Amino acid sequence: MVLQSLLFFHLKYMCFYYIMPFGEKMNKIKLSMPSLKDARMRKNKNVPIIRYQLDSKYQTIGKDKTYYIFTYGCQGNEADSEVMAGILEQVGYTKSNDPMNSDVVILNTCAIRENAEQRIWGVLGQLKGRKRENPDMLIGIAGCMPQEEKTTNRILESYDFIDLVIGTHNKNHLPKLLYEAYMTKAKVVEVISSEGEILEDAPKVREFHHKAWVNIMYGCDEFCTYCIVPYTRGRERSRAKEDIINEVKELVAEGYSEITLLGQNVNAYGKDLGLDYTFGNLLYDLDKTGIKRIRYTTSHPRDLDELTMQAMHDCKSVMPHLHLPVQSGDDEILKKMNRKYTYDEYMSKINRLRELVPDLALTTDIIVGFPNETEEQFENTLKLVQNANFEGAYTFIYSKREGTPAASMVDLVSEEEKHKRLNRLNEYVNAGYLKGHERFLNQVVEVLVDGHSKNGEGMMCGYTPHLKLTHFKADDNSLVGKIVKVRITEAKTWFMIGELCE
Ligand code: 5AD
Ligand code: SF4
């Protein structure tokens, strides 16, 4: 039987095989390779909804085997890893806590910046040594990096010990691809560069039992000139509202308290469906499910509309925190970034939202050193940070991404200057973090408890409605997943400390 299947695969994929020099993996099955050109396309066709069903042929491929998934990058990747874990467990694998002693190791990767990629190449280097000692270990690379042509070509040329290369669009093929890798002992590559599909009904192993990611849409059509995501994640495509609402109802029934709605640009939810139903409508409907806390990320300032802001005001479950990436405070840079708003438009959006949600906690993303950013343009960003009252920001040095428009822009700013700007920016940003915590001093806040904190013995931690990490003295596992009242006694830059109220 095994021999038969082996023969079948050899015949089926013979045309894709490479003959490699002695000592390297002999066979490569290239089911499909990434293409930036294809990834750029936005064909106006209906997005297929794939209802996941396991082929019984793969039902036991993971029996008596273990798996480990490394997850890098955004919450979208965390949610994808939960799906991959669900699929692996469904075919018999059990989760391991030790990557070096697992039968299958998958790296779910991020391509957003060069340094994210460097870290991943480093981990692959460590796994290479382990694979030499344990040749039966199967190593897979998934997520955004394989979607880049240069990465998959590099893996094919120089990373012989990687057995499986899979992109962002085909998690549902994982059992089939693993099966092929086992049966053929070849390197199996399937990276699809298309607009993408919507995967429904896939099993998930969620990391927590009290808070959950809920994808509401996939992909991005914004094409900010610095960003690789529209090429790695496909076209904007929204899940049907019924599928989202049913998922949230199930989570409520299972005892979940918090959901975070996910998408690269959640404010564009529904646009592709051509219905008169947008993100704001979805918030109102989800508020009725009985879920206690709703968060969402990430937003695009241009698409943040009045209905969404009204929903933040009206819906008790929608938390008073918004992550609204601004990227720069300079109009010319914003234009070169293709962000489609100005400094003034950004400020008027947040001012309007603050009229509706006066205690809003606002956080953002900022890039310094975009090609040829001048000192004056950078200072406009500092000005915006002072005026916008951010209570946190992820700050980055611009990283050149091959294939994006910004990669071919002239850039004469030195790396040293970019680092200096980042440090100057972070001083303002860190002051905002502290101020955002100080405003809760002596107040009683509600904390959804995550578990024991790493901030000292006998401490537990969780997040407030404003997404403030809070540590408090307690040692009681039964509190995990509960919302408790905590009086804030100390405000630090990165967290708050408080006392549990009786
Ligand atoms: N260089 C630096 N930062 C980037 N981001 C996206 N692409 C790049 C890049 N090429 C940042 C943006 C985005 C966040 C997720 O990552 O700030 O909002
Ligand atoms: Fe990238 Fe811009 Fe899309 Fe965000 S909105 S994922 S920064 S292209």
Side-chain angles (χ1 to χ4, degrees), residues 74 111-114 224-229 264 298 323 325-327 339 364-368 394-401 404 406:
C74 65
I112 200 116
R113 281 170 295 276
E114 185 66 29
C224 301
T225 55
Y226 50 81
C227 187
I228 194 75
V229 170
Q264 302 301 336
T298 272
H323 187 71
V326 68
Q327 313 300 359
R339 290 292 289 179
T364 197
D365 290 346
I366 299 171
I367 297 176
V368 301
Y394 295 114
T395 56
F396 311 103
I397 292 179
Y398 165 73
S399 170
K400 190 172 173 168
R401 304 284 71 204
T404 62

Side-chain angles (χ1 to χ4, degrees), residues 459-487:
M459 300 290 277
M460 296 186 81
C461 63
Y463 286 86
T464 70
H466 296 83
L467 202 67
K468 308 291 179 189
L469 175 60
T470 305
H471 299 277
F472 56 94
K473 206 172 191 175
D475 189 6
D476 179 357
N477 275 333
S478 73
L479 294 182
V480 176
K482 296 217 169 94
I483 294 177
V484 298
K485 289 195 173 4
V486 174
R487 180 177 298 282

Side-chain angles (χ1 to χ4, degrees), residues 320-323 354 359-363 391 439 466-468:
H321 166 250
L322 177 66
H323 187 71
R354 282 188 168 129
D359 68 334
L360 180 83
L362 182 70
T363 56
E391 295 188 0
R439 74 174 163 122
H466 296 83
L467 202 67
K468 308 291 179 189

Side-chain angles (χ1 to χ4, degrees), residues 26-172:
M26 292 293 281
N27 304 321
K28 293 178 182 173
I29 300 177
K30 296 205 284 177
L31 296 176
S32 61
M33 289 287 286
S35 150
L36 270 180
K37 196 167 139 263
D38 292 349
R40 232 172 251 131
M41 304 250 216
R42 293 295 186 265
K43 284 193 208 110
N44 200 12
K45 60 173 194 190
N46 281 346
V47 174
I49 297 178
I50 310 290
R51 302 256 161 211
Y52 184 81
Q53 264 191 326
L54 178 66
D55 185 330
S56 57
K57 185 160 106 190
Y58 311 125
Q59 221 159 19
T60 54
I61 56 168
K63 192 169 173 283
D64 301 327
K65 294 193 178 83
T66 57
Y67 77 94
Y68 187 95
I69 302 177
F70 285 96
T71 306
Y72 301 92
C74 65
Q75 292 97 336
N77 262 12
E78 287 182 33
D80 283 350
S81 288
E82 291 185 348
V83 172
M84 286 195 272
I87 291 173
L88 290 173
E89 294 198 9
Q90 195 186 36
V91 295
Y93 291 94
T94 47
K95 188 173 175 175
S96 149
N97 292 322
D98 177 7
M100 294 298 162
N101 284 302
S102 299
D103 297 301
V104 170
V105 178
I106 294 179
L107 284 85
N108 190 9
T109 62
C110 170
I112 200 116
R113 281 170 295 276
E114 185 66 29
N115 54 6
E117 294 198 352
Q118 287 312 339
R119 273 177 55 209
I120 293 162
W121 293 119
V123 174
L124 280 169
Q126 290 166 22
L127 286 168
K128 181 180 183 177
R130 184 65 193 123
K131 171 97 178 185
R132 222 177 273 132
E133 295 159 8
N134 175 15
D136 289 337
M137 181 184 209
L138 201 142
I139 299 177
I141 181 161
C144 284
M145 270 170 73
Q147 295 287 149
E148 300 176 290
E149 286 170 16
K150 64 163 195 210
T151 304
T152 295
N153 286 333
R154 178 170 167 185
I155 292 168
L156 281 168
E157 278 157 25
S158 328
Y159 286 74
D160 189 44
F161 61 95
I162 297 179
D163 304 282
L164 183 64
V165 186
I166 174 173
T168 55
H169 293 303
N170 51 344
K171 300 181 285 292
N172 50 325

Side-chain angles (χ1 to χ4, degrees), residues 158-316:
S158 328
Y159 286 74
D160 189 44
F161 61 95
I162 297 179
D163 304 282
L164 183 64
V165 186
I166 174 173
T168 55
H169 293 303
N170 51 344
K171 300 181 285 292
N172 50 325
H173 295 173
L174 200 52
K176 177 188 85 176
L177 300 175
L178 284 166
Y179 183 78
E180 287 174 8
Y182 285 131
M183 299 307 278
T184 62
K185 302 267 185 247
K187 186 197 289 288
V188 177
V189 183
E190 188 186 63
V191 183
I192 300 164
S193 293
S194 68
E195 292 90 350
E197 300 161 338
I198 290 182
L199 179 62
E200 292 293 350
D201 306 337
K204 284 185 194 130
V205 177
R206 298 198 192 260
E207 191 186 343
F208 296 103
H209 297 291
H210 57 281
K211 58 181 189 182
W213 309 119
V214 176
N215 276 109
I216 62 164
M217 62 184 302
Y218 302 94
C220 182
D221 286 349
E222 292 297 331
F223 287 96
C224 301
T225 55
Y226 50 81
C227 187
I228 194 75
V229 170
Y231 310 88
T232 62
R233 291 261 166 197
R235 154 185 168 184
E236 274 175 9
R237 48 208 196 275
S238 304
R239 288 178 71 195
K241 70 170 185 184
E242 294 78 13
D243 285 321
I244 300 170
I245 294 169
N246 284 342
E247 182 175 346
V248 174
K249 281 184 182 162
E250 276 168 29
L251 289 166
V252 173
E254 287 168 31
Y256 281 79
S257 297
E258 181 177 296
I259 51 163
T260 302
L261 307 176
L262 291 183
Q264 302 301 336
N265 174 14
V266 290
N267 304 97
Y269 174 79
K271 281 186 179 176
D272 56 309
L273 298 177
L275 307 169
D276 194 15
Y277 187 93
T278 60
F279 183 60
N281 300 112
L282 184 66
L283 287 179
Y284 280 104
D285 279 347
L286 293 176
D287 185 52
K288 293 182 207 135
T289 60
I291 191 82
K292 291 195 184 102
R293 290 179 165 195
I294 300 176
R295 304 186 185 281
Y296 62 92
T297 196
T298 272
S299 292
H300 191 292
R302 189 197 51 172
D303 295 326
L304 175 66
D305 60 9
E306 180 66 20
L307 188 66
T308 301
M309 297 198 240
Q310 288 289 347
M312 288 188 79
H313 170 268
D314 293 343
C315 303
K316 198 167 155 267

